[in-house]
Each structure stands twice: as structure tokens, then as C-alpha cells.
Amino acid sequence: QLQLQESGPGLVKPSETLSLICTVSRASISSNNYYWGWIRQPPGNGLEWIGSIYYSGSTYYNPSLKSRATLSVDTSKNQFSLKVTSVTAADTAVYYCARQRGRTCSGGICYSGPIDPWGQGTLVTVSS
Amino acid sequence: QSVLTQPPSASGTPGQRVTISCSGSNSNIGSNTVNWYQQLPGTAPKLLIYDNSQRPSGVPDRFSGSKSGTSASLAISGLQSEDEADYYCAAWDASLNGAVFGGGTQLTVL
């Protein structure tokens, strides 16, 4: 059963860079048709998709993060990572990594690509 | 402000049927399939319905999904206390070129 585990600092100072790593186990990150993504959830609020990356390095990002987010992948370690620069208190959230099926279109139907499974999540607090 | 619109709350009594709506636009629900997620208190979200109406292995058939035009619905029949959770719809948005979520619906079993 595929498992994902987030790791990284739980506390980041304002204006600094948030860095998280997701380690994938029991499956290859180089799987065809699957992207690897990050989703965050501020305390007491809903889910926000941050972006996703293919093992080749192809990426999609949420435009709302205005280029502050960068995803990268390390196939040799079966890991992918997230960096968010110039963080503020608004970036305080539980950060989840997950596998996302790639978006495909076939027979006139475009499939959104479900996100499954998810890591357990890690809380990152932005505070001085 | 979420791209997809869900009611913030819903409720029902055990055994009842409850539906949760999700409204979008032509660039997301209108042109892509919808997925639903269940988030039990204190846990990570879990895929509940994918491709509008498909259930992953292990999800009871009490849960069903449908889509029409730019709206989608999640139905839960035979409501149980363990269904008390937050439910989120999601879809790909072709204009934003990314995935978008609804704001979530908190389901209470009375």
C-alpha cells in the first residue's frame, strides 16, 4: 500500500522560506500517469491545492501563490519537495503531500485526476 | 473565497438521506469530472468519489455522486454517526490550469 510522509520544520519565521519533503514508500515516484502534489489547510479552514509535479519535472501551480511556491522531485530518493518563499502568517497551515492522477481527456470527457492517497499532514506555523 | 461553492453545513438524522451540492463554472465542473473527499475530525482527507460517480474500493455504496452541467452532488443514504465529517468537492479548472476545491461542508448527524 502506497504511503506518503511529510517532513520539515514545524516553525518558520516570517519572510523566510518554508521547505518540506515528502517521502514516497511502497511505490515508485516514477510511475506513469501520476503526479505528486501538495495541498494545504489553514487551521479551521478548507483545502487549498498548491501544485503538482511529474517525475520528469513537469509542474502545475496554483496561480494564487504568485510564484512563491516551487516543487521539485528527486527520483533517486523517491522524494518530492515544496518550497514557499517570503512566508507570512497566512501560510500557517497543515501541509499534505499526495499522489494525484494526471488529468486526461478521452472520448469527449476530461478527467480531473483524483488525489489519493494523502500523507498524514504536517503543521507549519509561521511566527517570529 | 473558493472557486467551487458548497453549503457550509448540512445535517441529518441516522438512516436519513442527505445531499451536498457543489457549484462551479464551465471551466471546472462544466468541462471536467468531479471528485469528492471526506475528512474525519483530526485526520487527512480521503478520496470518497472520483470521476463524478465512481467509488474507490472500500467506500460503502451508501455514498454516491452525480454531475449535471456546472453542478455536482454527493448523496449519503442510510446516514450513520460515523459519517459526521467535512466533505469537499474538487475538479480541474482549465482556466487556472490547476485543481480547485470547494469550501467544504460540515455534516452533522443529529
Side-chain angles (χ1 to χ4, degrees):
Chain A
Q1 186 85 353
L2 168 65
Q3 289 187 334
L4 302 101
Q5 179 66 58
E6 306 88 351
S7 59
L11 181 65
V12 181
K13 289 183 168 54
S15 81
E16 296 191 343
T17 297
L18 177 162
S19 295
L20 295 173
I21 291 173
C22 183
T23 301
V24 179
S25 55
R26 302 178 188 173
S28 172
I29 204 169
S30 301
S31 303
N32 287 333
N33 303 320
Y34 285 101
Y35 280 69
W36 303 91
W38 292 92
I39 303 96
R40 69 181 182 180
Q41 184 172 34
N45 287 328
L47 302 169
E48 180 182 34
W49 180 81
I50 298 171
S52 59
I53 186 166
Y54 200 56
Y55 72 89
S56 63
S58 173
T59 53
Y60 291 99
Y61 290 103
N62 186 333
S64 72
L65 271 81
K66 294 179 182 177
S67 302
R68 293 192 300 124
T70 302
L71 273 65
S72 59
V73 62
D74 187 336
T75 55
S76 67
K77 294 182 179 178
N78 226 35
Q79 294 176 332
F80 62 105
S81 63
L82 168 70
K83 291 187 188 298
V84 180
T85 60
S86 305
V87 296
T88 68
D91 294 306
T92 293
V94 175
Y95 285 76
Y96 297 100
C97 64
R99 185 182 69 173
Q100 182 172 10
R101 198 182 74 196
R103 178 178 179 261
T104 58
C105 296
S106 174
I109 300 174
C110 288
Y111 298 88
S112 290
I115 300 170
D116 178 62
W118 299 55
Q120 65 182 30
T122 187
L123 175 63
V124 179
T125 302
V126 178
S127 175
S128 55
Chain B
Q1 192 82 3
S2 301
V3 174
L4 305 181
T5 301
Q6 299 179 235
S9 63
S11 63
T13 56
Q16 211 172 20
R17 184 176 187 268
V18 170
T19 60
I20 296 172
S21 62
C22 176
S23 177
S25 66
N26 286 331
S27 64
N28 42 66
I29 295 178
S31 54
N32 296 277
T33 58
V34 177
N35 305 309
W36 290 90
Y37 301 90
Q38 177 192 57
Q39 186 176 31
L40 296 168
T43 69
K46 172 190 124 177
L47 180 65
L48 192 65
I49 296 287
Y50 68 97
D51 294 351
N52 298 333
S53 59
Q54 302 302 304
R55 283 186 308 276
S57 173
V59 173
D61 59 7
R62 302 187 295 104
F63 294 91
S64 62
S66 64
K67 184 186 111 167
S68 178
T70 59
S71 294
S73 291
L74 172 70
I76 309 171
S77 59
L79 198 62
Q80 299 180 4
S81 58
E82 55 260 41
D83 298 333
E84 195 159 276
D86 293 328
Y87 293 86
Y88 294 90
C89 60
W92 190 263
D93 190 297
S95 295
L96 298 174
N97 209 22
V100 291
F101 283 96
T105 299
Q106 184 175 52
L107 175 64
T108 301
V109 180
L110 302 169

